[in-house]
């Protein structure tokens, strides 16, 4: 137990030294997988969406700490839907076209999901929608959880 604490402390100290002295290794795009997170961090829905977002961040952190996916670390690109379906659509467009993420975890309300649906279908993106929904909708670009 003491050895692992000493090792963890040493790694933390070394990482802090490297950051302080500016000796950071450049991030190599080939070594990362870009994933989008699109939830309301502001506005009326933020209180509901922040715990889901925090869970996603924790899961990604644990995956990265375990070596990533096929040896590649997950790089998170996060956007705020601001509890507004129009903003959700604009942010989804940005994540898929500009940031070129491979997938997005997000939305909370049916209105935000319906607003981003055509964007994901146009760009052949994949949205992981984390809540139950009313049904009567199907898209190959949305994983309805």
């Amino acid at each position: 137990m003491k050895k692992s604490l000493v090792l963890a402390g040493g790694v933390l100290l070394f990482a802090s030294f490297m950051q302080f002295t500016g000796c950071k290794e450049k991030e190599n795009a080939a070594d990362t997988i870009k994933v989008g997170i699109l939830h309301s961090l502001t506005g009326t829905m933020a209180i509901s969406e922040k715990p889901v977002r925090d869970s996603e961040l924790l899961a990604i952190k644990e995956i990265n700490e375990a070596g990533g996916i096929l040896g590649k670390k997950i790089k998170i690109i996060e956007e705020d839907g601001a509890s507004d379906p129009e903003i959700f659509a604009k942010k989804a467009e940005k994540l898929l076209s500009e940031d070129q993420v491979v997938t997005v975890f997000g939305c909370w309300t049916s209105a935000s999901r319906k607003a981003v649906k055509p964007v994901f279908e146009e760009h052949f993106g994949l949205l992981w929608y984390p809540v139950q929904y009313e049904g009567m909708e199907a898209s190959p670009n949305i994983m309805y959880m």
Side-chain angles (χ1 to χ4, degrees):
M1 177 96 166
K2 286 185 179 182
K3 287 181 182 179
S4 63
L5 287 176
V6 171
L7 179 60
V11 170
L12 182 61
L13 182 62
F14 180 73
S16 299
F17 173 77
M18 295 295 281
Q19 187 141 11
F20 178 77
T21 58
C23 298
K24 291 193 284 187
E25 197 174 305
K26 284 189 175 180
E27 182 177 271
N28 184 352
D31 295 334
T32 61
I33 299 170
K34 291 193 286 187
V35 169
I37 292 186
L38 178 58
H39 286 291
S40 294
L41 305 177
T42 58
T44 57
M45 295 310 300
I47 195 165
S48 298
E49 291 191 59
K50 282 184 180 177
V52 176
R53 170 245 192 192
D54 291 346
S55 297
E56 293 163 354
L57 292 176
L58 178 61
I60 291 169
K61 178 183 175 202
E62 289 177 351
I63 291 168
N64 281 339
E65 286 174 352
I69 298 174
L70 299 174
K72 296 181 180 200
K73 299 292 182 171
I74 299 171
K75 178 181 178 185
I76 299 165
I77 300 180
E78 186 172 19
E79 293 291 342
D80 179 7
S83 304
D84 182 330
E86 286 184 36
I87 293 175
F88 267 94
K90 289 176 185 173
K91 298 294 182 153
E93 176 75 34
K94 178 190 175 291
L95 286 168
L96 293 170
S97 63
E98 291 177 34
D99 298 320
Q100 297 184 340
V101 299
V102 297
T103 193
V104 176
F105 296 90
C107 298
W108 180 263
T109 64
S110 297
S112 63
R113 185 194 71 245
K114 289 176 189 259
V116 303
K117 181 178 175 271
V119 176
F120 279 90
E121 290 174 345
E122 177 185 339
H123 292 284
F124 303 104
L126 180 62
L127 171 67
W128 296 84
Y129 182 67
V131 287
Q132 71 280 2
Y133 78 112
E134 65 283 356
M136 304 302 290
E137 175 184 293
S139 173
N141 300 89
I142 300 175
M143 295 298 297
Y144 301 90
M145 309 308 279

